Amino acid sequence: MKGKSSKGGLILICIGVFWLLSSFGVINWSLFDVMFKLWPLMLIVIGINMVSRSKNYIKYITWGIFIVTVILFGFYGEYGYKNDASFNIDSNFVQENIPETTAGKLRLQLGGGNLRINSIADKLIIAKVPDSKVKKDIKFIGSDKSKVDINIEQKTDIINLNKKKTYDYGFDLNSNVLWDIDIDTGAINGTLDFSDLKVSKLDIDMGVSNLKLIFGDNQSNTKVDIDGGISNLDMTIPENVGVRVDFDGGIKNTNIGGLGWRKTGDYYVSPNYDEAEKKLELDVDIGIGKFYVKTK
C-alpha cells in the first residue's frame, strides 16, 4: 500500500511541475494537450503492466518510456511548428504578386474566431493569422509559375488553461487569380467577400458559424460546397448570376421559397439560370440554422 501511495504521489508531483512550468512560460506546450493526444499509449502501458504484475522492472521501463514520449512529443509539437512558422502574434504575412500566376489553390485549416476574406490587386496574398503556431507552405507550380498552392495551418491548444482566445483571421487575395478555396475551421463568424474575386470552387467545412458571403460575377461558373453544424448563412448574389441551390439538414429558417425560384428535383433554380452567362451552384448542408439569399 505504501508503494502505491508513493507512486501516486510521484505522478501528482510530476503533473504539478509540468503545470507550473507551462503556467510560467518555461515550456510553451500544454501537458494536457499532449496527454489527450497520447491517451491510447497510456492504455497500452497500463495493459502491459496488468499482464506483467509481478515484474516491477517492466513497470518502471514502460512508464519511463511513456514519460519520455510525452516530453519529446510536447517539444516536437511546439518547436516543430515554431521552426516552420511564418507568422508572429498579430502580424501579417505578405506574398508578392507574380504576374504569370493565374490560378491558385488556397487551403486554410483554422481554429475558431472571426474570419474575413477580401480582394487585393497588388499582392498575391496578405494573411493575418494571430497565433505563432502556424505552418504555411507556398509552392509555385510549373516553370512559368502559372499556378500556386498555398497551405496555411494553425495549431491551437485543445485545452487553454490561462485564458480564452478569440482569433481574428484576415485574408486578402489577388483579384486577377482564379482561386480554388478550401476552408476547414471551427466556430467562426465573419464576412467572406468574393465580389471582386474570381473563384472556381469554394469548400467550407465548419462548426458553429455566423457567416455573410458576398459573391460576384467575375467567373463563368462557381461551385460552392458548405458543410456546418449550427450555422447562420447570409448570401448576397448578383442579379445577373444564375443560381442553382441544393440545401439539406435542419434548415427551417430560409427565404428560398419566397424568391420565386422553381423547384426542380432536389434543387431550387433561379429564373435566369438557363440563359445566364455566369452561374453559381450551391450545395449547403447544415445541421440547424438559417439560410438567407438576397440579390443585388
Side-chain angles (χ1 to χ4, degrees), residues 6 66 125 139 144 149 187 212 242 277:
S6 299
F66 177 77
I125 181 173
K139 295 180 180 178
D144 57 353
D149 198 339
K212 181 179 180 181
E277 294 183 1

Side-chain angles (χ1 to χ4, degrees), residues 120-230:
I120 193 169
D122 59 343
K123 306 292 183 183
L124 180 63
I125 181 173
I126 297 178
K128 178 183 178 183
V129 181
D131 193 303
S132 60
K133 298 178 183 178
V134 175
K135 292 179 68 174
K136 67 95 179 172
D137 183 35
I138 298 179
K139 295 180 180 178
F140 288 93
I141 301 171
S143 57
D144 57 353
K145 297 184 178 180
S146 61
K147 297 181 181 179
V148 64
D149 198 339
I150 303 174
N151 292 282
I152 298 175
E153 177 184 355
Q154 181 188 42
K155 179 176 181 285
T156 56
D157 293 333
I158 294 175
I159 300 177
N160 180 12
L161 300 174
N162 299 319
K163 61 182 180 179
K164 294 183 178 179
K165 293 182 180 180
T166 299
Y167 296 101
D168 292 314
Y169 306 99
F171 299 94
D172 295 312
L173 308 178
N174 189 281
S175 56
N176 296 314
V177 173
L178 178 60
W179 291 100
D180 180 350
I181 303 173
D182 189 340
I183 303 173
D184 187 353
T185 183
I188 204 78
N189 299 302
T191 299
L192 313 185
D193 189 350
F194 305 107
S195 56
D196 293 326
L197 292 171
K198 295 188 290 184
V199 180
S200 62
K201 185 178 179 182
L202 173 65
D203 192 334
I204 304 177
D205 190 353
M206 57 193 177
V208 179
S209 64
N210 186 13
L211 286 181
K212 181 179 180 181
L213 293 92
I214 306 172
F215 293 97
D217 59 357
N218 295 315
Q219 174 60 20
S220 59
N221 189 279
T222 300
K223 294 184 178 181
V224 178
D225 189 349
I226 299 176
D227 292 292
I230 302 174

Side-chain angles (χ1 to χ4, degrees), residues 264-279:
T264 304
D266 295 330
Y267 298 93
Y268 282 92
V269 181
S270 64
N272 65 334
Y273 180 78
D274 293 331
E275 65 271 12
E277 294 183 1
K278 309 293 178 65
K279 290 181 169 59

Side-chain angles (χ1 to χ4, degrees), residues 28-42:
N28 296 316
W29 49 272
S30 169
L31 173 65
F32 295 95
D33 188 358
V34 176
M35 295 289 283
F36 181 87
K37 294 177 180 178
L38 294 181
W39 68 265
L41 181 59
M42 184 182 294

